[in-house]
């Protein structure tokens, strides 16, 4: 099967990439990550309408589906742009579309208002309603948190958030205290929570894919310019084999992510299986590519001044965000009755 992007999807990719290259070059990302915080990055996302991608136009969104969200995440990951507040709002809005009377709240999230973040632990996809969250994605700046209990009941509660520092400074995590019982919004239909987990897995896998592609591009450029014994180091067989293996990992991950996004949009019966495959593949390949990129850059890759650190850390944090590769491989084993 060959998946070809539509003209609209090609336009979306070029548009997002243009904005990232113009308004979020590496120097600006460094300033956001290490000095100012992600506020300006979040403002750019709202200004560009990215907070409404994947949401129906009648709800105030921009339309599109998981393919469009994967394109957006890939380009943001490529630039290591701080986007966790955007991701948290999108995931919360998509989950709320499963409820019949949440149009107003979905519209607020589509407009980029700091109305709510999805209350899930960054290391897993589901937390019990009313519990405190030690590491919640994108909760800083949110006014309320959307909680889902084990029965599928959804509630909206005020929150108090305290920033949690992380080695990947392009990420935004907070320790969240849920303040009070909150407002009961309804219950998810059958499969609603599963669909939320599928979307989160593919979104993070696409973000990792963008970081992987950027590390490959940076490495190829570096080994072509760096000379030793009078020739580019990229002409050495050992170096070229390492770079070729990076390319294989990138393209294999791209296939897994695109197919999973398509399967979710098409409502394929085995869509969840492909979402787990995409996340597991991106997690493992992202770590391999990050380590190879660092190795092939040599000593300069270890310096604070080099931009490799931004995407290196992004790929590493994507590898465990919402679950490690082994967690998704266990899901596959359970689904395929391998254990």
């Amino acid at each position: 099967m060959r998946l070809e992007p539509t003209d609209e999807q090609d336009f979306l990719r070029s548009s997002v990439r243009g904005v990232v290259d113009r308004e979020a070059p590496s120097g600006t990302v460094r300033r956001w990550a290490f000095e100012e915080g992600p506020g300006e990055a979040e403002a750019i996302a709202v200004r560009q309408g990215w907070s409404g991608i994947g949401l129906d136009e009648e709800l105030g969104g921009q339309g599109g589906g998981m393919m469009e969200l994967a394109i957006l995440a890939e380009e943001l990951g490529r630039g290591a742009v701080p986007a966790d507040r955007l991701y948290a709002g999108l995931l919360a809005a998509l989950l709320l579309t499963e409820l019949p009377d949440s149009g107003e709240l979905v519209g607020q999230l589509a407009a980029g208002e700091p109305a709510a973040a999805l209350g899930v632990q960054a290391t897993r996809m589901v937390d019990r309603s009313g519990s405190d969250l030690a590491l919640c994605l994108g909760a800083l700046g949110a006014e309320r948190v959307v909680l889902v209990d084990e029965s599928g009941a959804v509630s909206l509660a005020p929150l108090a958030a305290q920033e949690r520092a992380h080695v990947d400074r392009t990420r935004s995590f907070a320790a969240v205290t849920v303040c009070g019982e909150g407002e009961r919004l309804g219950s998810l239909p059958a499969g609603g929570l599963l669909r939320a987990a599928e979307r989160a897995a593919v979104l993070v896998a696409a973000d990792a894919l963008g970081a992987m592609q950027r590390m490959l591009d940076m490495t190829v450029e570096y080994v072509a310019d760096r000379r030793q014994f009078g020739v580019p180091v990229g002409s050495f067989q050992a170096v070229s084999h390492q770079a070729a293996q990076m390319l294989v990992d990138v393209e294999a991950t791209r296939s897994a992510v695109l197919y999973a996004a398509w399967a979710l949009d098409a409502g394929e019966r085995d869509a969840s299986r492909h979402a787990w495959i995409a996340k597991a593949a991106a997690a493992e390949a992202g770590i391999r590519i990050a380590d190879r990129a660092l190795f092939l850059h040599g000593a300069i890759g270890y310096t604070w001044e080099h931009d490799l650190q931004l995407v290196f850390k992004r790929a590493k944090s994507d590898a465990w965000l919402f679950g490690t590769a082994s967690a998704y491989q266990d899901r596959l084993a359970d689904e395929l009755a391998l254990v």
Side-chain angles (χ1 to χ4, degrees):
M1 179 177 183
R2 184 177 180 85
L3 294 175
E4 293 287 351
T6 64
D7 291 343
E8 290 81 5
Q9 289 165 352
D10 281 335
F11 178 79
L12 174 63
R13 183 181 296 279
S14 62
S15 174
V16 175
R17 181 170 296 192
V19 171
V20 170
D21 289 346
R22 183 175 63 254
E23 300 193 44
S26 59
T28 301
V29 170
R30 279 174 177 270
R31 191 176 74 247
W32 292 336
F34 301 114
E35 298 174 19
E36 299 176 0
E40 180 57 29
E42 294 164 2
I44 291 171
V46 173
R47 192 161 62 243
Q48 295 295 326
W50 297 343
S51 54
I53 292 177
L55 300 170
D56 291 342
E57 293 181 20
E58 55 265 28
L59 295 175
Q62 301 290 332
M66 201 63 231
M67 285 289 286
E68 286 72 19
L69 286 171
I71 289 169
L72 172 67
E74 182 183 346
E75 294 303 319
L76 294 176
R78 171 183 169 270
V81 178
D84 290 340
R85 180 70 192 87
L86 172 65
Y87 291 165
L90 284 167
L91 291 172
L94 288 166
L95 183 139
L96 290 170
T97 59
E98 304 269 358
L99 303 176
D101 300 318
S102 58
E104 181 179 353
L105 183 54
V106 171
Q108 291 173 355
L109 289 165
E113 297 182 21
L118 184 58
V120 296
Q121 195 81 300
T123 51
R124 51 184 174 164
M125 263 310 297
V126 184
D127 257 275
R128 188 170 300 174
S129 178
S131 65
D132 293 345
L133 306 168
L135 204 64
C136 187
L137 182 74
L140 290 172
E143 298 170 353
R144 293 169 290 177
V145 60
V146 177
L147 296 165
V148 186
D149 68 15
E150 293 172 343
S151 70
V154 183
S155 59
L156 186 67
L159 64 85
Q162 182 177 2
E163 184 176 8
R164 293 288 299 271
H166 188 265
V167 67
D168 177 10
R169 299 295 296 181
T170 71
R171 299 242 91 115
S172 172
F173 297 112
V176 167
T177 301
V178 179
C179 305
E181 288 293 326
E183 173 190 358
R184 177 73 178 267
L185 299 179
S187 294
L188 293 174
L193 203 53
L194 176 65
R195 286 187 288 276
E198 293 166 351
R199 290 188 287 257
V202 175
L203 193 70
V204 175
D207 189 278
L209 173 61
M212 291 157 60
Q213 181 67 63
R214 176 77 179 282
M215 285 188 287
L216 174 61
D217 294 342
M218 294 172 71
T219 302
V220 170
E221 181 180 3
Y222 178 76
V223 300
D225 290 342
R226 176 81 166 87
R227 302 181 74 84
Q228 194 172 33
F229 306 115
V231 296
V233 297
S235 65
F236 301 149
Q237 191 176 59
V239 173
S240 61
H241 282 184
Q242 292 280 344
Q245 188 57 58
M246 292 172 68
L247 175 62
V248 170
D249 275 337
V250 167
E251 292 305 317
T253 303
R254 188 183 311 282
S255 296
V257 170
L258 288 177
Y259 190 86
W262 170 84
L264 291 179
D265 284 341
E268 291 290 296
R269 187 171 56 183
D270 58 351
S272 61
R273 186 180 306 170
H274 292 289
W276 312 153
I277 290 172
K279 178 59 168 74
E284 291 189 327
I287 291 174
R288 285 196 299 267
I289 287 177
D291 291 343
R292 284 193 171 103
L294 192 63
F295 174 75
L296 292 177
H297 273 81
I300 194 173
Y302 286 86
T303 62
W304 184 262
E305 292 79 11
H306 201 280
D307 289 338
L308 180 64
Q309 64 152 314
L310 297 172
V311 278
F312 176 94
K313 293 172 182 175
R314 184 69 162 249
K316 293 278 188 172
S317 62
D318 277 333
W320 63 261
L321 184 59
F322 293 142
T324 61
S326 61
Y328 286 91
Q329 288 161 355
D330 286 344
R331 292 185 184 186
L332 283 168
D334 289 343
E335 190 170 327
L336 297 172
L338 298 179
V339 177

